[in-house]
Amino acid sequence: VRLSAKLFAHVNVAVYKASGGRLMNKGPANKPICLVTITGRKTGKKRDIPLMHVPHGEQKILVASLGGISKNPVWYYNLKATPDIRITADGITRTYRAREVSPDEKASLWPVIVDAYPPYDEYQARTDRDIPVFVCDPMD
């Protein structure tokens, strides 16, 4: 399963980029995805990953749910190590600084997140870990 998910992500990124974001720009339940350009904490290489996001004014919210499995996605650790990222959404690329929200801020944002994609509630219920949430503030 992991290999097929990785392969799909590579195809998703290639098609998204080649089409200028017109194709493969929706995730589960037809929700918008963005491309996040992130720096690998071990390799230092830039990587593009397709992620669902929740637009929140000028900010973007990223949820490290990984479907509610017991561990954080790899991108979580990369984002913690290097919070300056690029996000391409709706054909627009901007630079952002991501920050993991506090438990209180997560509690206030959670209704917004679940309203955008209701299965996030199921994912949180499915795991013992507190699913991390990042708010990404535009830097440009």
Side-chain angles (χ1 to χ4, degrees), residues 85-112:
I85 58 175
R86 263 191 348 258
I87 296 177
T88 301
D90 304 318
I92 299 167
T93 301
R94 293 181 76 180
T95 303
Y96 291 83
R97 178 159 294 141
R99 62 181 172 79
E100 187 172 357
V101 301
S102 68
D104 287 344
E105 191 174 3
K106 179 183 175 183
S108 71
L109 289 172
W110 197 249
V112 173

mmCIF file with all atom_site columns, all heavy atoms in Angstrom, residues 85-112:
data_model
loop_
_atom_site.group_PDB
_atom_site.id
_atom_site.type_symbol
_atom_site.label_atom_id
_atom_site.label_alt_id
_atom_site.label_comp_id
_atom_site.label_asym_id
_atom_site.label_entity_id
_atom_site.label_seq_id
_atom_site.pdbx_PDB_ins_code
_atom_site.Cartn_x
_atom_site.Cartn_y
_atom_site.Cartn_z
_atom_site.occupancy
_atom_site.B_iso_or_equiv
_atom_site.pdbx_formal_charge
_atom_site.auth_seq_id
_atom_site.auth_comp_id
_atom_site.auth_asym_id
_atom_site.auth_atom_id
_atom_site.pdbx_PDB_model_num
ATOM 1   N N   . ILE A 1 85  ? 8.190   27.196 3.618  1.00 0.00 ? 85  ILE A N   1
ATOM 2   C CA  . ILE A 1 85  ? 7.721   26.332 2.537  1.00 0.00 ? 85  ILE A CA  1
ATOM 3   C C   . ILE A 1 85  ? 7.122   27.173 1.421  1.00 0.00 ? 85  ILE A C   1
ATOM 4   O O   . ILE A 1 85  ? 6.874   28.365 1.601  1.00 0.00 ? 85  ILE A O   1
ATOM 5   C CB  . ILE A 1 85  ? 6.659   25.321 3.050  1.00 0.00 ? 85  ILE A CB  1
ATOM 6   C CG1 . ILE A 1 85  ? 5.465   26.076 3.665  1.00 0.00 ? 85  ILE A CG1 1
ATOM 7   C CG2 . ILE A 1 85  ? 7.271   24.348 4.034  1.00 0.00 ? 85  ILE A CG2 1
ATOM 8   C CD1 . ILE A 1 85  ? 4.306   25.180 4.099  1.00 0.00 ? 85  ILE A CD1 1
ATOM 9   N N   . ARG A 1 86  ? 6.895   26.512 0.284  1.00 0.00 ? 86  ARG A N   1
ATOM 10  C CA  . ARG A 1 86  ? 6.124   27.110 -0.803 1.00 0.00 ? 86  ARG A CA  1
ATOM 11  C C   . ARG A 1 86  ? 4.863   26.287 -0.954 1.00 0.00 ? 86  ARG A C   1
ATOM 12  O O   . ARG A 1 86  ? 4.900   25.060 -0.890 1.00 0.00 ? 86  ARG A O   1
ATOM 13  C CB  . ARG A 1 86  ? 6.910   27.067 -2.119 1.00 0.00 ? 86  ARG A CB  1
ATOM 14  C CG  . ARG A 1 86  ? 7.631   28.321 -2.449 1.00 0.00 ? 86  ARG A CG  1
ATOM 15  C CD  . ARG A 1 86  ? 8.200   28.405 -3.850 1.00 0.00 ? 86  ARG A CD  1
ATOM 16  N NE  . ARG A 1 86  ? 8.230   27.195 -4.628 1.00 0.00 ? 86  ARG A NE  1
ATOM 17  C CZ  . ARG A 1 86  ? 9.301   26.429 -4.834 1.00 0.00 ? 86  ARG A CZ  1
ATOM 18  N NH1 . ARG A 1 86  ? 10.452  26.738 -4.277 1.00 0.00 ? 86  ARG A NH1 1
ATOM 19  N NH2 . ARG A 1 86  ? 9.227   25.355 -5.579 1.00 0.00 ? 86  ARG A NH2 1
ATOM 20  N N   . ILE A 1 87  ? 3.750   26.973 -1.157 1.00 0.00 ? 87  ILE A N   1
ATOM 21  C CA  . ILE A 1 87  ? 2.482   26.289 -1.400 1.00 0.00 ? 87  ILE A CA  1
ATOM 22  C C   . ILE A 1 87  ? 1.923   26.807 -2.721 1.00 0.00 ? 87  ILE A C   1
ATOM 23  O O   . ILE A 1 87  ? 1.837   28.024 -2.931 1.00 0.00 ? 87  ILE A O   1
ATOM 24  C CB  . ILE A 1 87  ? 1.464   26.540 -0.267 1.00 0.00 ? 87  ILE A CB  1
ATOM 25  C CG1 . ILE A 1 87  ? 1.965   25.957 1.056  1.00 0.00 ? 87  ILE A CG1 1
ATOM 26  C CG2 . ILE A 1 87  ? 0.099   25.946 -0.637 1.00 0.00 ? 87  ILE A CG2 1
ATOM 27  C CD1 . ILE A 1 87  ? 1.053   26.216 2.259  1.00 0.00 ? 87  ILE A CD1 1
ATOM 28  N N   . THR A 1 88  ? 1.574   25.856 -3.589 1.00 0.00 ? 88  THR A N   1
ATOM 29  C CA  . THR A 1 88  ? 0.896   26.194 -4.837 1.00 0.00 ? 88  THR A CA  1
ATOM 30  C C   . THR A 1 88  ? -0.537  25.706 -4.710 1.00 0.00 ? 88  THR A C   1
ATOM 31  O O   . THR A 1 88  ? -0.774  24.515 -4.483 1.00 0.00 ? 88  THR A O   1
ATOM 32  C CB  . THR A 1 88  ? 1.576   25.517 -6.047 1.00 0.00 ? 88  THR A CB  1
ATOM 33  O OG1 . THR A 1 88  ? 2.943   25.937 -6.101 1.00 0.00 ? 88  THR A OG1 1
ATOM 34  C CG2 . THR A 1 88  ? 0.870   25.890 -7.344 1.00 0.00 ? 88  THR A CG2 1
ATOM 35  N N   . ALA A 1 89  ? -1.477  26.650 -4.818 1.00 0.00 ? 89  ALA A N   1
ATOM 36  C CA  . ALA A 1 89  ? -2.898  26.319 -4.741 1.00 0.00 ? 89  ALA A CA  1
ATOM 37  C C   . ALA A 1 89  ? -3.646  27.255 -5.676 1.00 0.00 ? 89  ALA A C   1
ATOM 38  O O   . ALA A 1 89  ? -3.319  28.450 -5.742 1.00 0.00 ? 89  ALA A O   1
ATOM 39  C CB  . ALA A 1 89  ? -3.415  26.471 -3.310 1.00 0.00 ? 89  ALA A CB  1
ATOM 40  N N   . ASP A 1 90  ? -4.602  26.709 -6.379 1.00 0.00 ? 90  ASP A N   1
ATOM 41  C CA  . ASP A 1 90  ? -5.412  27.514 -7.298 1.00 0.00 ? 90  ASP A CA  1
ATOM 42  C C   . ASP A 1 90  ? -4.540  28.285 -8.294 1.00 0.00 ? 90  ASP A C   1
ATOM 43  O O   . ASP A 1 90  ? -4.828  29.429 -8.624 1.00 0.00 ? 90  ASP A O   1
ATOM 44  C CB  . ASP A 1 90  ? -6.309  28.491 -6.524 1.00 0.00 ? 90  ASP A CB  1
ATOM 45  C CG  . ASP A 1 90  ? -7.201  27.778 -5.517 1.00 0.00 ? 90  ASP A CG  1
ATOM 46  O OD1 . ASP A 1 90  ? -7.744  26.709 -5.870 1.00 0.00 ? 90  ASP A OD1 1
ATOM 47  O OD2 . ASP A 1 90  ? -7.333  28.277 -4.392 1.00 0.00 ? 90  ASP A OD2 1
ATOM 48  N N   . GLY A 1 91  ? -3.440  27.659 -8.733 1.00 0.00 ? 91  GLY A N   1
ATOM 49  C CA  . GLY A 1 91  ? -2.570  28.279 -9.726 1.00 0.00 ? 91  GLY A CA  1
ATOM 50  C C   . GLY A 1 91  ? -1.657  29.362 -9.187 1.00 0.00 ? 91  GLY A C   1
ATOM 51  O O   . GLY A 1 91  ? -0.936  29.994 -9.943 1.00 0.00 ? 91  GLY A O   1
ATOM 52  N N   . ILE A 1 92  ? -1.657  29.579 -7.882 1.00 0.00 ? 92  ILE A N   1
ATOM 53  C CA  . ILE A 1 92  ? -0.834  30.628 -7.272 1.00 0.00 ? 92  ILE A CA  1
ATOM 54  C C   . ILE A 1 92  ? 0.181   29.991 -6.336 1.00 0.00 ? 92  ILE A C   1
ATOM 55  O O   . ILE A 1 92  ? -0.165  29.160 -5.499 1.00 0.00 ? 92  ILE A O   1
ATOM 56  C CB  . ILE A 1 92  ? -1.709  31.627 -6.482 1.00 0.00 ? 92  ILE A CB  1
ATOM 57  C CG1 . ILE A 1 92  ? -2.706  32.299 -7.428 1.00 0.00 ? 92  ILE A CG1 1
ATOM 58  C CG2 . ILE A 1 92  ? -0.851  32.661 -5.760 1.00 0.00 ? 92  ILE A CG2 1
ATOM 59  C CD1 . ILE A 1 92  ? -3.807  33.052 -6.723 1.00 0.00 ? 92  ILE A CD1 1
ATOM 60  N N   . THR A 1 93  ? 1.440   30.400 -6.489 1.00 0.00 ? 93  THR A N   1
ATOM 61  C CA  . THR A 1 93  ? 2.511   29.912 -5.618 1.00 0.00 ? 93  THR A CA  1
ATOM 62  C C   . THR A 1 93  ? 2.959   31.044 -4.715 1.00 0.00 ? 93  THR A C   1
ATOM 63  O O   . THR A 1 93  ? 3.246   32.146 -5.185 1.00 0.00 ? 93  THR A O   1
ATOM 64  C CB  . THR A 1 93  ? 3.702   29.394 -6.445 1.00 0.00 ? 93  THR A CB  1
ATOM 65  O OG1 . THR A 1 93  ? 3.251   28.335 -7.298 1.00 0.00 ? 93  THR A OG1 1
ATOM 66  C CG2 . THR A 1 93  ? 4.810   28.870 -5.545 1.00 0.00 ? 93  THR A CG2 1
ATOM 67  N N   . ARG A 1 94  ? 2.972   30.753 -3.424 1.00 0.00 ? 94  ARG A N   1
ATOM 68  C CA  . ARG A 1 94  ? 3.411   31.738 -2.428 1.00 0.00 ? 94  ARG A CA  1
ATOM 69  C C   . ARG A 1 94  ? 4.331   31.056 -1.422 1.00 0.00 ? 94  ARG A C   1
ATOM 70  O O   . ARG A 1 94  ? 4.271   29.843 -1.234 1.00 0.00 ? 94  ARG A O   1
ATOM 71  C CB  . ARG A 1 94  ? 2.212   32.323 -1.668 1.00 0.00 ? 94  ARG A CB  1
ATOM 72  C CG  . ARG A 1 94  ? 1.299   33.175 -2.555 1.00 0.00 ? 94  ARG A CG  1
ATOM 73  C CD  . ARG A 1 94  ? 0.150   33.749 -1.786 1.00 0.00 ? 94  ARG A CD  1
ATOM 74  N NE  . ARG A 1 94  ? 0.593   34.876 -0.957 1.00 0.00 ? 94  ARG A NE  1
ATOM 75  C CZ  . ARG A 1 94  ? -0.217  35.577 -0.181 1.00 0.00 ? 94  ARG A CZ  1
ATOM 76  N NH1 . ARG A 1 94  ? -1.502  35.265 -0.102 1.00 0.00 ? 94  ARG A NH1 1
ATOM 77  N NH2 . ARG A 1 94  ? 0.231   36.594 0.530  1.00 0.00 ? 94  ARG A NH2 1
ATOM 78  N N   . THR A 1 95  ? 5.122   31.881 -0.755 1.00 0.00 ? 95  THR A N   1
ATOM 79  C CA  . THR A 1 95  ? 5.999   31.399 0.306  1.00 0.00 ? 95  THR A CA  1
ATOM 80  C C   . THR A 1 95  ? 5.276   31.576 1.644  1.00 0.00 ? 95  THR A C   1
ATOM 81  O O   . THR A 1 95  ? 4.635   32.600 1.880  1.00 0.00 ? 95  THR A O   1
ATOM 82  C CB  . THR A 1 95  ? 7.316   32.198 0.306  1.00 0.00 ? 95  THR A CB  1
ATOM 83  O OG1 . THR A 1 95  ? 7.909   32.082 -0.982 1.00 0.00 ? 95  THR A OG1 1
ATOM 84  C CG2 . THR A 1 95  ? 8.282   31.662 1.346  1.00 0.00 ? 95  THR A CG2 1
ATOM 85  N N   . TYR A 1 96  ? 5.382   30.554 2.481  1.00 0.00 ? 96  TYR A N   1
ATOM 86  C CA  . TYR A 1 96  ? 4.712   30.565 3.795  1.00 0.00 ? 96  TYR A CA  1
ATOM 87  C C   . TYR A 1 96  ? 5.689   30.125 4.871  1.00 0.00 ? 96  TYR A C   1
ATOM 88  O O   . TYR A 1 96  ? 6.669   29.431 4.601  1.00 0.00 ? 96  TYR A O   1
ATOM 89  C CB  . TYR A 1 96  ? 3.543   29.569 3.815  1.00 0.00 ? 96  TYR A CB  1
ATOM 90  C CG  . TYR A 1 96  ? 2.373   29.949 2.953  1.00 0.00 ? 96  TYR A CG  1
ATOM 91  C CD1 . TYR A 1 96  ? 2.370   29.673 1.584  1.00 0.00 ? 96  TYR A CD1 1
ATOM 92  C CD2 . TYR A 1 96  ? 1.240   30.562 3.489  1.00 0.00 ? 96  TYR A CD2 1
ATOM 93  C CE1 . TYR A 1 96  ? 1.288   30.004 0.782  1.00 0.00 ? 96  TYR A CE1 1
ATOM 94  C CE2 . TYR A 1 96  ? 0.153   30.898 2.695  1.00 0.00 ? 96  TYR A CE2 1
ATOM 95  C CZ  . TYR A 1 96  ? 0.183   30.620 1.343  1.00 0.00 ? 96  TYR A CZ  1
ATOM 96  O OH  . TYR A 1 96  ? -0.885  30.955 0.555  1.00 0.00 ? 96  TYR A OH  1
ATOM 97  N N   . ARG A 1 97  ? 5.377   30.492 6.086  1.00 0.00 ? 97  ARG A N   1
ATOM 98  C CA  . ARG A 1 97  ? 6.056   29.943 7.261  1.00 0.00 ? 97  ARG A CA  1
ATOM 99  C C   . ARG A 1 97  ? 5.004   29.175 8.054  1.00 0.00 ? 97  ARG A C   1
ATOM 100 O O   . ARG A 1 97  ? 3.975   29.722 8.443  1.00 0.00 ? 97  ARG A O   1
ATOM 101 C CB  . ARG A 1 97  ? 6.669   31.033 8.118  1.00 0.00 ? 97  ARG A CB  1
ATOM 102 C CG  . ARG A 1 97  ? 7.342   30.423 9.375  1.00 0.00 ? 97  ARG A CG  1
ATOM 103 C CD  . ARG A 1 97  ? 8.359   31.326 10.000 1.00 0.00 ? 97  ARG A CD  1
ATOM 104 N NE  . ARG A 1 97  ? 9.484   31.502 9.096  1.00 0.00 ? 97  ARG A NE  1
ATOM 105 C CZ  . ARG A 1 97  ? 10.120  32.659 8.920  1.00 0.00 ? 97  ARG A CZ  1
ATOM 106 N NH1 . ARG A 1 97  ? 9.757   33.732 9.578  1.00 0.00 ? 97  ARG A NH1 1
ATOM 107 N NH2 . ARG A 1 97  ? 11.146  32.734 8.097  1.00 0.00 ? 97  ARG A NH2 1
ATOM 108 N N   . ALA A 1 98  ? 5.278   27.896 8.266  1.00 0.00 ? 98  ALA A N   1
ATOM 109 C CA  . ALA A 1 98  ? 4.342   27.032 8.982  1.00 0.00 ? 98  ALA A CA  1
ATOM 110 C C   . ALA A 1 98  ? 4.698   26.999 10.463 1.00 0.00 ? 98  ALA A C   1
ATOM 111 O O   . ALA A 1 98  ? 5.863   27.049 10.836 1.00 0.00 ? 98  ALA A O   1
ATOM 112 C CB  . ALA A 1 98  ? 4.407   25.617 8.406  1.00 0.00 ? 98  ALA A CB  1
ATOM 113 N N   . ARG A 1 99  ? 3.657   26.906 11.267 1.00 0.00 ? 99  ARG A N   1
ATOM 114 C CA  . ARG A 1 99  ? 3.872   26.733 12.706 1.00 0.00 ? 99  ARG A CA  1
ATOM 115 C C   . ARG A 1 99  ? 2.827   25.754 13.218 1.00 0.00 ? 99  ARG A C   1
ATOM 116 O O   . ARG A 1 99  ? 1.659   25.820 12.842 1.00 0.00 ? 99  ARG A O   1
ATOM 117 C CB  . ARG A 1 99  ? 3.798   28.065 13.450 1.00 0.00 ? 99  ARG A CB  1
ATOM 118 C CG  . ARG A 1 99  ? 2.462   28.743 13.352 1.00 0.00 ? 99  ARG A CG  1
ATOM 119 C CD  . ARG A 1 99  ? 2.420   30.085 14.097 1.00 0.00 ? 99  ARG A CD  1
ATOM 120 N NE  . ARG A 1 99  ? 1.182   30.761 13.811 1.00 0.00 ? 99  ARG A NE  1
ATOM 121 C CZ  . ARG A 1 99  ? 0.012   30.477 14.378 1.00 0.00 ? 99  ARG A CZ  1
ATOM 122 N NH1 . ARG A 1 99  ? -0.071  29.532 15.300 1.00 0.00 ? 99  ARG A NH1 1
ATOM 123 N NH2 . ARG A 1 99  ? -1.078  31.141 14.050 1.00 0.00 ? 99  ARG A NH2 1
ATOM 124 N N   . GLU A 1 100 ? 3.292   24.848 14.065 1.00 0.00 ? 100 GLU A N   1
ATOM 125 C CA  . GLU A 1 100 ? 2.351   23.908 14.678 1.00 0.00 ? 100 GLU A CA  1
ATOM 126 C C   . GLU A 1 100 ? 1.565   24.679 15.728 1.00 0.00 ? 100 GLU A C   1
ATOM 127 O O   . GLU A 1 100 ? 2.133   25.413 16.534 1.00 0.00 ? 100 GLU A O   1
ATOM 128 C CB  . GLU A 1 100 ? 3.090   22.732 15.302 1.00 0.00 ? 100 GLU A CB  1
ATOM 129 C CG  . GLU A 1 100 ? 2.166   21.656 15.788 1.00 0.00 ? 100 GLU A CG  1
ATOM 130 C CD  . GLU A 1 100 ? 2.888   20.387 16.231 1.00 0.00 ? 100 GLU A CD  1
ATOM 131 O OE1 . GLU A 1 100 ? 4.124   20.311 16.103 1.00 0.00 ? 100 GLU A OE1 1
ATOM 132 O OE2 . GLU A 1 100 ? 2.200   19.472 16.707 1.00 0.00 ? 100 GLU A OE2 1
ATOM 133 N N   . VAL A 1 101 ? 0.249   24.504 15.708 1.00 0.00 ? 101 VAL A N   1
ATOM 134 C CA  . VAL A 1 101 ? -0.592  25.259 16.631 1.00 0.00 ? 101 VAL A CA  1
ATOM 135 C C   . VAL A 1 101 ? -0.590  24.618 18.024 1.00 0.00 ? 101 VAL A C   1
ATOM 136 O O   . VAL A 1 101 ? -0.338  23.432 18.174 1.00 0.00 ? 101 VAL A O   1
ATOM 137 C CB  . VAL A 1 101 ? -2.040  25.406 16.101 1.00 0.00 ? 101 VAL A CB  1
ATOM 138 C CG1 . VAL A 1 101 ? -2.057  26.112 14.756 1.00 0.00 ? 101 VAL A CG1 1
ATOM 139 C CG2 . VAL A 1 101 ? -2.754  24.069 16.008 1.00 0.00 ? 101 VAL A CG2 1
ATOM 140 N N   . SER A 1 102 ? -0.900  25.437 19.010 1.00 0.00 ? 102 SER A N   1
ATOM 141 C CA  . SER A 1 102 ? -1.023  24.968 20.390 1.00 0.00 ? 102 SER A CA  1
ATOM 142 C C   . SER A 1 102 ? -2.320  24.162 20.521 1.00 0.00 ? 102 SER A C   1
ATOM 143 O O   . SER A 1 102 ? -3.215  24.259 19.670 1.00 0.00 ? 102 SER A O   1
ATOM 144 C CB  . SER A 1 102 ? -1.080  26.164 21.342 1.00 0.00 ? 102 SER A CB  1
ATOM 145 O OG  . SER A 1 102 ? -2.309  26.862 21.144 1.00 0.00 ? 102 SER A OG  1
ATOM 146 N N   . PRO A 1 103 ? -2.459  23.400 21.598 1.00 0.00 ? 103 PRO A N   1
ATOM 147 C CA  . PRO A 1 103 ? -3.720  22.671 21.806 1.00 0.00 ? 103 PRO A CA  1
ATOM 148 C C   . PRO A 1 103 ? -4.945  23.595 21.841 1.00 0.00 ? 103 PRO A C   1
ATOM 149 O O   . PRO A 1 103 ? -5.991  23.249 21.293 1.00 0.00 ? 103 PRO A O   1
ATOM 150 C CB  . PRO A 1 103 ? -3.507  21.970 23.154 1.00 0.00 ? 103 PRO A CB  1
ATOM 151 C CG  . PRO A 1 103 ? -2.019  21.776 23.237 1.00 0.00 ? 103 PRO A CG  1
ATOM 152 C CD  . PRO A 1 103 ? -1.436  23.010 22.582 1.00 0.00 ? 103 PRO A CD  1
ATOM 153 N N   . ASP A 1 104 ? -4.813  24.778 22.460 1.00 0.00 ? 104 ASP A N   1
ATOM 154 C CA  . ASP A 1 104 ? -5.945  25.712 22.507 1.00 0.00 ? 104 ASP A CA  1
ATOM 155 C C   . ASP A 1 104 ? -6.300  26.223 21.115 1.00 0.00 ? 104 ASP A C   1
ATOM 156 O O   . ASP A 1 104 ? -7.472  26.327 20.759 1.00 0.00 ? 104 ASP A O   1
ATOM 157 C CB  . ASP A 1 104 ? -5.640  26.900 23.423 1.00 0.00 ? 104 ASP A CB  1
ATOM 158 C CG  . ASP A 1 104 ? -5.673  26.513 24.895 1.00 0.00 ? 104 ASP A CG  1
ATOM 159 O OD1 . ASP A 1 104 ? -6.217  25.429 25.227 1.00 0.00 ? 104 ASP A OD1 1
ATOM 160 O OD2 . ASP A 1 104 ? -5.145  27.294 25.718 1.00 0.00 ? 104 ASP A OD2 1
ATOM 161 N N   . GLU A 1 105 ? -5.280  26.568 20.328 1.00 0.00 ? 105 GLU A N   1
ATOM 162 C CA  . GLU A 1 105 ? -5.537  27.061 18.976 1.00 0.00 ? 105 GLU A CA  1
ATOM 163 C C   . GLU A 1 105 ? -6.119  25.943 18.108 1.00 0.00 ? 105 GLU A C   1
ATOM 164 O O   . GLU A 1 105 ? -7.017  26.186 17.303 1.00 0.00 ? 105 GLU A O   1
ATOM 165 C CB  . GLU A 1 105 ? -4.263  27.628 18.352 1.00 0.00 ? 105 GLU A CB  1
ATOM 166 C CG  . GLU A 1 105 ? -4.531  28.387 17.069 1.00 0.00 ? 105 GLU A CG  1
ATOM 167 C CD  . GLU A 1 105 ? -3.310  29.077 16.495 1.00 0.00 ? 105 GLU A CD  1
ATOM 168 O OE1 . GLU A 1 105 ? -2.198  28.935 17.043 1.00 0.00 ? 105 GLU A OE1 1
ATOM 169 O OE2 . GLU A 1 105 ? -3.469  29.763 15.475 1.00 0.00 ? 105 GLU A OE2 1
ATOM 170 N N   . LYS A 1 106 ? -5.629  24.728 18.308 1.00 0.00 ? 106 LYS A N   1
ATOM 171 C CA  . LYS A 1 106 ? -6.185  23.594 17.552 1.00 0.00 ? 106 LYS A CA  1
ATOM 172 C C   . LYS A 1 106 ? -7.670  23.437 17.885 1.00 0.00 ? 106 LYS A C   1
ATOM 173 O O   . LYS A 1 106 ? -8.495  23.229 16.990 1.00 0.00 ? 106 LYS A O   1
ATOM 174 C CB  . LYS A 1 106 ? -5.436  22.297 17.845 1.00 0.00 ? 106 LYS A CB  1
ATOM 175 C CG  . LYS A 1 106 ? -6.025  21.113 17.079 1.00 0.00 ? 106 LYS A CG  1
ATOM 176 C CD  . LYS A 1 106 ? -5.353  19.805 17.399 1.00 0.00 ? 106 LYS A CD  1
ATOM 177 C CE  . LYS A 1 106 ? -6.065  18.657 16.715 1.00 0.00 ? 106 LYS A CE  1
ATOM 178 N NZ  . LYS A 1 106 ? -5.496  17.349 17.038 1.00 0.00 ? 106 LYS A NZ  1
ATOM 179 N N   . ALA A 1 107 ? -8.008  23.539 19.157 1.00 0.00 ? 107 ALA A N   1
ATOM 180 C CA  . ALA A 1 107 ? -9.410  23.396 19.567 1.00 0.00 ? 107 ALA A CA  1
ATOM 181 C C   . ALA A 1 107 ? -10.290 24.451 18.895 1.00 0.00 ? 107 ALA A C   1
ATOM 182 O O   . ALA A 1 107 ? -11.418 24.153 18.490 1.00 0.00 ? 107 ALA A O   1
ATOM 183 C CB  . ALA A 1 107 ? -9.529  23.482 21.090 1.00 0.00 ? 107 ALA A CB  1
ATOM 184 N N   . SER A 1 108 ? -9.777  25.664 18.752 1.00 0.00 ? 108 SER A N   1
ATOM 185 C CA  . SER A 1 108 ? -10.589 26.709 18.106 1.00 0.00 ? 108 SER A CA  1
ATOM 186 C C   . SER A 1 108 ? -10.645 26.532 16.587 1.00 0.00 ? 108 SER A C   1
ATOM 187 O O   . SER A 1 108 ? -11.640 26.904 15.965 1.00 0.00 ? 108 SER A O   1
ATOM 188 C CB  . SER A 1 108 ? -10.078 28.102 18.481 1.00 0.00 ? 108 SER A CB  1
ATOM 189 O OG  . SER A 1 108 ? -8.840  28.370 17.874 1.00 0.00 ? 108 SER A OG  1
ATOM 190 N N   . LEU A 1 109 ? -9.606  25.959 15.989 1.00 0.00 ? 109 LEU A N   1
ATOM 191 C CA  . LEU A 1 109 ? -9.588  25.743 14.538 1.00 0.00 ? 109 LEU A CA  1
ATOM 192 C C   . LEU A 1 109 ? -10.279 24.455 14.110 1.00 0.00 ? 109 LEU A C   1
ATOM 193 O O   . LEU A 1 109 ? -10.696 24.335 12.957 1.00 0.00 ? 109 LEU A O   1
ATOM 194 C CB  . LEU A 1 109 ? -8.146  25.718 14.019 1.00 0.00 ? 109 LEU A CB  1
ATOM 195 C CG  . LEU A 1 109 ? -7.394  27.033 13.992 1.00 0.00 ? 109 LEU A CG  1
ATOM 196 C CD1 . LEU A 1 109 ? -5.935  26.795 13.636 1.00 0.00 ? 109 LEU A CD1 1
ATOM 197 C CD2 . LEU A 1 109 ? -8.038  27.997 13.020 1.00 0.00 ? 109 LEU A CD2 1
ATOM 198 N N   . TRP A 1 110 ? -10.380 23.495 15.020 1.00 0.00 ? 110 TRP A N   1
ATOM 199 C CA  . TRP A 1 110 ? -10.893 22.170 14.654 1.00 0.00 ? 110 TRP A CA  1
ATOM 200 C C   . TRP A 1 110 ? -12.272 22.214 13.981 1.00 0.00 ? 110 TRP A C   1
ATOM 201 O O   . TRP A 1 110 ? -12.479 21.544 12.975 1.00 0.00 ? 110 TRP A O   1
ATOM 202 C CB  . TRP A 1 110 ? -10.873 21.228 15.857 1.00 0.00 ? 110 TRP A CB  1
ATOM 203 C CG  . TRP A 1 110 ? -10.993 19.790 15.444 1.00 0.00 ? 110 TRP A CG  1
ATOM 204 C CD1 . TRP A 1 110 ? -12.059 18.965 15.662 1.00 0.00 ? 110 TRP A CD1 1
ATOM 205 C CD2 . TRP A 1 110 ? -10.033 19.005 14.734 1.00 0.00 ? 110 TRP A CD2 1
ATOM 206 N NE1 . TRP A 1 110 ? -11.820 17.715 15.136 1.00 0.00 ? 110 TRP A NE1 1
ATOM 207 C CE2 . TRP A 1 110 ? -10.574 17.721 14.561 1.00 0.00 ? 110 TRP A CE2 1
ATOM 208 C CE3 . TRP A 1 110 ? -8.760  19.265 14.224 1.00 0.00 ? 110 TRP A CE3 1
ATOM 209 C CZ2 . TRP A 1 110 ? -9.895  16.697 13.902 1.00 0.00 ? 110 TRP A CZ2 1
ATOM 210 C CZ3 . TRP A 1 110 ? -8.074  18.251 13.565 1.00 0.00 ? 110 TRP A CZ3 1
ATOM 211 C CH2 . TRP A 1 110 ? -8.650  16.980 13.409 1.00 0.00 ? 110 TRP A CH2 1
ATOM 212 N N   . PRO A 1 111 ? -13.222 23.016 14.472 1.00 0.00 ? 111 PRO A N   1
ATOM 213 C CA  . PRO A 1 111 ? -14.515 23.092 13.776 1.00 0.00 ? 111 PRO A CA  1
ATOM 214 C C   . PRO A 1 111 ? -14.382 23.573 12.320 1.00 0.00 ? 111 PRO A C   1
ATOM 215 O O   . PRO A 1 111 ? -15.091 23.091 11.441 1.00 0.00 ? 111 PRO A O   1
ATOM 216 C CB  . PRO A 1 111 ? -15.337 24.074 14.606 1.00 0.00 ? 111 PRO A CB  1
ATOM 217 C CG  . PRO A 1 111 ? -14.719 24.026 15.968 1.00 0.00 ? 111 PRO A CG  1
ATOM 218 C CD  . PRO A 1 111 ? -13.252 23.782 15.731 1.00 0.00 ? 111 PRO A CD  1
ATOM 219 N N   . VAL A 1 112 ? -13.477 24.500 12.066 1.00 0.00 ? 112 VAL A N   1
ATOM 220 C CA  . VAL A 1 112 ? -13.229 24.988 10.702 1.00 0.00 ? 112 VAL A CA  1
ATOM 221 C C   . VAL A 1 112 ? -12.656 23.855 9.848  1.00 0.00 ? 112 VAL A C   1
ATOM 222 O O   . VAL A 1 112 ? -13.057 23.648 8.698  1.00 0.00 ? 112 VAL A O   1
ATOM 223 C CB  . VAL A 1 112 ? -12.254 26.191 10.726 1.00 0.00 ? 112 VAL A CB  1
ATOM 224 C CG1 . VAL A 1 112 ? -11.848 26.618 9.324  1.00 0.00 ? 112 VAL A CG1 1
ATOM 225 C CG2 . VAL A 1 112 ? -12.858 27.354 11.498 1.00 0.00 ? 112 VAL A CG2 1
#
